[in-house]
Amino acid sequence: MMQETRQDRIEMPEDVILRVDNLTVSFRTPSGLVRAVRGISFDLKRNETLCIVGESGSGKSVTGRSIMGILAGNAIIDAGHIYYDGQDLLKLKEADFYKIRGSRIGMIFQDPLSSLNPIMKVGKQLTEALILKNKMTKAEAKKRAIELMHEVGIPEPEKRFNQYPFQFSGGMRQRIVIAIALSMEPEILICDEPTTALDVTIQAQILDLINKLKREKNLTVIFITHDLGVVANMADRVAVMYAGKIVEYGKTEEIFYDPKHPYTWALLESMPALKQKGQLRAIPGTPPNMLFPPKGDAFAPRNKYAMKIDFEKEPPFFKVTDTHYAATWLLHPNAPKIESPVKDLVRRVRGEKDEL
Amino acid sequence: MNYENREIVLSLKNVRQYFSSGFWKRKIVVKAVHNVSFDVYKGEVFGLVGESGCGKTTTGRSIIKLYNITDGEIFFNGVRISAGIRSNVQRIKDARKAIKMKKAETKALIADIKTDSAAQSDNDIVNRDVEKVQEDLNKFIAEQEEIIQKERQEIREKKKDNKLNKKLMSKMAMIFQDPIDSLNPRMTVREIISEGMIIHGIKDKEYIDQKVKEALRLVGLVEEHATRYPHEFSGGQRQRIGIARALVVNPDLIIADEPISALDVSIQAQVINLLNDLRKQFNLTILFIAHNLSVVKYFCDRIGVMYYGRLVEIAPAEELFANPLHPYTKSLLSAVPLPDPEYEKNRKRLYYVPHLRKFTQDKPKMVEITPGHFVLGSQEEIARYRDELAGKPVPQDPTLIEVVE
């Protein structure tokens, strides 16, 4: 018994606020086990923005939900630990978890309409947690809620307090969701594609707002998205996920200007740059079916640089710099040297600067 | 590019699409599309961009007659396919009102004449005056009735044109946004693709089979896929089925309503490449509705920017990105995120705040500022845009607010 508790509590470096260690999550479905996340590990540093990039089905949302402890009922956590504040979140009982969920780690979801209750006034949804958790009186909670609405940039908060979600536009709804997440003053904010359902102009406003709040409240942000443009704007560090695994991680500049993994190359290439004409370099094929996780490197069948070993053995992480790691056999000392096809990407994008 | 001599496939003239709900006092009218006019030339890709709710999808759906338009006219291959009667009804109402007013006026006038002349005993003069006034009234009523008859005739003609012209409409096809919702889960791929042909009256089974196979091959699927159901395919493949369904009727015009926004990043490029190839192969005309500006720039020849139901700027793609004039276009372009961290860290964003606009007597009009580049603005604004194009220093647009991160 003693031993177990000692194992549960670990000491982390001062600047690491959350550590995910070998997290493996599967989902039980009628057709078999879907391996959504297959052993990912990362450290979240205090006051940074970590972006997790990947296409749908790559396990990025599942990662965020595991940290919040809100996985669907058919999920099985096969292995791994999520350390926060010295304890393993995955071993916590629900009775203890609710002290952390929302109040220490907050989350914003993709669709602002479905994350708000349509038949409850916005004010009530904002004050709900304040009254239940912070034991505020209704009047205090209302005062605080109006402050929060003001902070996230909602005009006329007193009037808006008594309105229903359907009376808000998409961007305003997302602001309400952010205000609710921030009402408990969490340390960590997980944003699961918060701008995917919004337009470019509204998206820009919401991203600005998240950046501003992050600075003001010293938040640590995990930002989950598939839009590399958004990543370039938000991230301090980037983790690229494919088929339930992190394939490359590093500082933003390293990922964008000197990517090493073929999947990152392909992602950067497939976006039409504003100046581009001619054929787009699409990624052939489709993502693997995670009912039958592929052997070796999951990206190999779609990868034109794939070598024989990619189909047989999973690549380990190779170190590029102290902060930059990539899981590809191309970085092995014996691998053939391949010139990165996205070397000129920076130039391609830079050229547009004058235009915009 | 010279657009003067090119054939116009689709032409919209002052199209309005209003939706109303509720009755009497609670009646709400949503002006989804508000006075939109543009032409689409043969063989070009015309892009419609704007934020959600600006009416771009509604425009597309109105063109293919999923809605009956409220006002304005739509011409396809030179034939009027839909026309709205709101302005005719309005003119009839105005005429009726004028008659009513005139009648009341005349009545008052006659009463006046009668009281004035009460003192006089000369009935002849009074009668003559009254008769003259009555005559005026009758003439006026006849004039107005003529207007009403004319408008009614026009409405009848429009209603006749509004009847579905199957032969013509079979030359128009649509690709929908959501590849999951737009395919019937109970139909096989073969049934989905052939449905259009069957509705257009083709009964030859062999011919249909052959066309389905051909269409499947064109979009990069194999013939064996014809017997499967939509749920057996991935998102990108489903969108390919949607494209095959649109192509199989040999359309002159394809309306692509955000065909890639529901797809994964890695699949989007595949579908754009496919559309690009097909377009070159068949010389297709495409109306491309999207909100992703980098895709629109890559794919479209000309772009129309919509804002709250109005077209605010139309220009060739290169020109629009090089010289955006309308403040909304500027703010839209400044919001596009680019995959370049250094650029992103120093970006300046422009917010468009239409409330700051000074409302003057002259209403904003669509003006062709350079050949092919149209922009909506009042005379004062147009003058400023001209100066801006000429490279003269101009004051900052009052409706734009600059935000530096």
Side-chain angles (χ1 to χ4, degrees):
Chain A
M1 199 65 201
M2 278 295 282
Q3 232 177 353
E4 225 182 277
T5 34
R6 204 179 297 147
Q7 251 180 9
D8 283 354
R9 293 200 76 84
I10 63 145
E11 288 301 314
M12 287 193 289
E14 188 56 32
D15 64 331
V16 176
I17 189 166
L18 184 105
R19 170 172 286 168
V20 175
D21 183 21
N22 190 32
L23 178 71
T24 310
V25 183
S26 312
F27 287 95
R28 229 181 293 117
T29 63
S31 36
L33 274 184
V34 176
R35 318 245 169 229
V37 176
R38 302 187 294 154
I40 64 166
S41 313
F42 61 86
D43 283 355
L44 184 65
K45 301 211 171 78
R46 213 170 276 277
N47 294 340
E48 74 164 353
T49 303
L50 173 73
C51 274
I52 304 180
V53 202
E55 43 197 308
S56 46
S58 62
K60 52 194 196 310
S61 290
V62 175
T63 310
R65 284 169 172 267
S66 318
I67 297 171
M68 281 294 278
I70 48 168
L71 285 170
N74 61 345
I76 310 164
I77 295 168
D78 299 317
H81 310 272
I82 298 172
Y83 297 110
Y84 170 70
D85 202 14
Q87 50 193 337
D88 187 350
L89 292 183
L90 296 180
K91 297 224 170 74
L92 277 186
K93 292 204 177 67
E94 183 55 35
D96 297 321
F97 210 134
Y98 91 93
K99 289 177 189 149
I100 291 171
R101 187 188 298 132
S103 39
R104 310 284 296 277
I105 307 175
M107 190 159 182
I108 304 168
F109 297 92
Q110 175 172 358
D111 186 357
L113 188 57
S114 49
S115 51
L116 290 172
N117 186 342
I119 53 166
M120 206 193 241
K121 280 178 184 167
V122 158
K124 182 149 192 216
Q125 301 191 46
L126 259 165
T127 52
E128 205 176 18
L130 291 170
I131 292 168
L132 284 173
K133 270 195 172 171
N134 287 9
K135 307 276 183 263
M136 282 184 176
T137 62
K138 266 191 177 173
E140 281 170 351
K142 181 171 179 182
K143 201 172 149 240
R144 176 84 188 108
I146 288 174
E147 268 173 38
L148 279 166
M149 284 165 87
H150 190 74
E151 258 173 52
V152 296
I154 289 172
E156 300 180 79
E158 285 87 1
K159 196 178 134 203
R160 294 296 218 168
F161 188 82
N162 281 324
Q163 289 186 338
Y164 289 94
F166 75 86
Q167 290 167 302
F168 286 67
S169 64
M172 285 294 160
R173 265 180 226 144
Q174 197 59 284
R175 283 170 200 261
I176 293 287
V177 174
I178 294 173
I180 293 172
L182 290 178
S183 66
M184 301 306 292
E185 294 177 350
E187 271 187 305
I188 302 175
L189 188 65
I190 303 173
C191 308
D192 187 358
E193 310 215 14
T195 58
T196 308
L198 306 173
D199 303 302
V200 265
T201 42
I202 312 293
Q203 166 174 298
Q205 291 172 14
I206 296 290
L207 295 181
D208 283 354
L209 174 70
I210 294 175
N211 271 336
K212 186 189 114 200
L213 292 170
K214 186 198 154 200
R215 272 197 306 275
E216 283 172 5
K217 299 186 180 273
N218 290 326
L219 291 171
T220 309
V221 179
I222 298 181
F223 201 95
I224 298 168
T225 180
H226 63 249
D227 188 338
L228 286 167
V230 173
V231 175
N233 183 352
M234 301 291 292
D236 298 316
R237 284 200 307 144
V238 183
V240 183
M241 277 188 84
Y242 185 74
K245 283 188 171 235
I246 292 180
V247 293
E248 184 167 11
Y249 66 94
K251 286 192 173 149
T252 315
E253 287 78 17
E254 291 165 338
I255 297 291
F256 278 92
Y257 297 137
D258 190 22
K260 293 291 180 198
H261 197 281
Y263 179 63
T264 320
W265 295 347
L267 267 188
L268 284 167
E269 270 185 316
S270 68
M271 287 185 75
L274 282 174
K275 253 194 173 168
Q276 193 176 4
K277 284 284 160 196
Q279 196 81 342
L280 282 181
R281 271 177 260 178
I283 312 176
T286 49
N289 183 352
M290 295 317 285
L291 275 172
F292 316 101
K295 205 176 150 202
D297 186 354
F299 187 58
R302 304 172 75 186
N303 179 6
K304 60 180 168 185
Y305 306 104
M307 296 175 286
K308 205 175 162 197
I309 190 165
D310 277 317
F311 292 95
E312 285 159 9
K313 207 166 162 219
E314 223 164 84
F317 271 111
F318 289 96
K319 184 172 159 184
V320 183
T321 66
D322 280 342
T323 48
H324 186 186
Y325 291 82
T328 165
W329 286 114
L330 287 177
L331 290 173
H332 194 268
N334 292 343
K337 291 279 162 283
I338 288 172
E339 186 64 26
S340 160
V342 289
K343 264 273 162 63
D344 63 335
L345 180 100
V346 180
R347 241 181 298 136
R348 227 164 71 193
V349 179
R350 277 292 155 67
E352 294 156 9
K353 245 185 183 175
D354 307 328
E355 242 183 70
L356 281 170
Chain B
M1 219 182 283
N2 184 18
Y3 285 100
E4 295 276 308
N5 305 323
R6 292 179 65 179
E7 193 186 330
I8 294 176
V9 172
L10 179 78
S11 171
L12 272 70
K13 292 209 165 67
N14 304 323
V15 170
R16 290 162 196 258
Q17 179 74 61
Y18 295 178
F19 297 105
S20 61
S21 62
F23 289 100
W24 309 114
K25 271 189 180 167
R26 295 174 69 187
K27 185 164 179 171
I28 299 167
V29 177
V30 178
K31 300 177 176 178
V33 179
H34 199 90
N35 214 347
V36 164
S37 313
F38 63 85
D39 294 334
V40 180
Y41 298 93
K42 191 160 183 65
E44 80 165 345
V45 179
F46 186 86
L48 267 185
V49 290
E51 52 193 280
S52 56
C54 77
K56 50 191 197 304
T57 299
T58 310
T59 311
R61 286 171 160 255
S62 298
I63 292 168
I64 203 163
K65 291 180 74 111
L66 284 174
Y67 307 132
N68 294 324
I69 57 172
T70 313
D71 199 14
E73 292 166 302
I74 300 175
F75 294 88
F76 177 51
N77 279 346
V79 181
R80 183 161 75 178
I81 51 165
S82 15
I85 54 168
R86 186 176 178 273
S87 54
N88 301 96
V89 171
Q90 193 60 41
R91 278 198 286 273
I92 292 178
K93 270 187 190 161
D94 287 349
R96 290 236 170 90
K97 214 187 223 168
I99 292 175
K100 213 173 167 187
M101 294 240 311
K102 189 86 180 175
K103 269 185 181 162
E105 235 171 65
T106 319
K107 212 173 170 186
L109 208 61
I110 293 172
D112 268 2
I113 293 169
K114 279 188 175 155
T115 45
D116 278 356
S117 58
Q120 298 172 16
S121 51
D122 197 346
N123 265 336
D124 282 355
I125 300 176
V126 175
N127 281 344
R128 209 176 59 218
D129 278 355
V130 170
E131 238 166 60
K132 202 179 155 205
V133 172
Q134 278 288 356
E135 217 166 86
D136 268 1
L137 175 69
N138 287 340
K139 211 168 135 196
F140 182 79
I141 289 177
E143 263 171 31
Q144 294 298 324
E145 285 292 343
E146 203 174 303
I147 293 177
I148 292 174
Q149 286 307 323
K150 212 181 95 201
E151 297 294 342
R152 278 192 179 149
Q153 181 60 29
E154 212 166 282
I155 290 176
R156 270 196 290 277
E157 272 166 24
K158 281 182 174 175
K159 281 195 172 158
K160 213 166 104 193
D161 281 353
N162 268 340
K163 283 207 180 106
L164 198 62
N165 184 342
K166 263 194 186 173
K167 204 172 167 201
L168 192 62
M169 291 308 287
S170 71
K171 288 284 170 199
M172 207 190 274
M174 191 153 179
I175 301 168
F176 293 92
Q177 174 172 8
D178 194 331
I180 299 162
D181 285 347
S182 65
L183 301 179
N184 188 341
R186 295 182 175 206
M187 285 163 98
T188 61
V189 170
R190 186 188 171 280
E191 286 165 335
I192 289 172
I193 295 177
S194 62
E195 197 182 11
M197 286 190 288
I198 291 167
I199 288 172
H200 291 316
I202 297 169
K203 294 195 179 72
D204 185 352
K205 273 219 170 117
E206 265 171 40
Y207 175 77
I208 289 175
D209 267 347
Q210 191 205 331
K211 281 292 251 183
V212 169
K213 279 177 189 166
E214 210 174 276
L216 281 173
R217 254 201 321 276
L218 271 176
V219 297
L221 298 171
V222 288
E223 291 170 16
E224 286 77 58
H225 286 151
T227 49
R228 295 197 196 165
Y229 286 88
H231 71 89
E232 294 171 69
F233 295 91
S234 67
Q237 282 175 318
R238 277 182 225 186
Q239 197 55 286
R240 282 166 196 266
I241 296 171
I243 295 171
R245 171 172 64 179
L247 278 177
V248 82
V249 291
N250 294 327
D252 287 345
L253 174 73
I254 289 186
I255 298 169
D257 183 8
E258 311 218 14
I260 54 157
S261 47
L263 301 177
D264 255 325
V265 231
S266 70
I267 310 295
Q268 284 186 358
Q270 289 178 13
V271 173
I272 297 174
N273 277 344
L274 171 69
L275 280 173
N276 226 350
D277 291 344
L278 293 173
R279 172 202 167 189
K280 279 177 200 143
Q281 200 175 337
F282 296 103
N283 194 21
L284 284 174
T285 312
I286 302 179
L287 178 70
F288 190 79
I289 301 167
H291 63 249
N292 186 340
L293 276 168
S294 40
V295 170
V296 170
K297 162 117 196 253
Y298 169 74
F299 189 52
C300 297
D301 301 318
R302 290 196 305 142
I303 298 175
V305 182
M306 276 186 91
Y307 183 72
Y308 277 88
R310 286 186 169 85
L311 264 175
V312 295
E313 197 163 356
I314 305 175
E318 298 289 330
E319 167 76 11
L320 187 82
F321 279 75
N323 299 314
L325 288 175
H326 197 275
Y328 177 67
T329 317
K330 284 180 187 164
S331 90
L332 200 62
L333 291 183
S334 82
V336 184
L338 293 179
D340 182 348
E342 271 171 35
Y343 166 73
E344 284 288 328
K345 297 256 145 77
N346 310 315
R347 81 164 337 146
K348 275 189 289 182
R349 278 200 182 121
L350 300 167
Y351 287 157
Y352 177 48
V353 190
H355 312 293
L356 295 177
R357 191 169 173 278
K358 265 185 274 162
F359 282 93
T360 44
Q361 277 300 324
D362 71 304
K363 285 201 171 163
K365 270 189 207 124
M366 213 61 177
V367 176
E368 186 166 18
I369 215 157
T370 51
H373 190 164
F374 295 83
V375 62
L376 185 78
S378 62
Q379 278 169 14
E380 186 200 329
E381 284 164 342
I382 295 292
R384 195 173 62 227
Y385 296 153
R386 275 191 213 284
D387 285 354
E388 199 178 328
L389 272 183
K392 288 182 207 160
V394 281
Q396 170 83 4
D397 205 300
T399 52
L400 273 181
I401 296 177
E402 203 169 286
V403 179
V404 188
E405 253 183 67

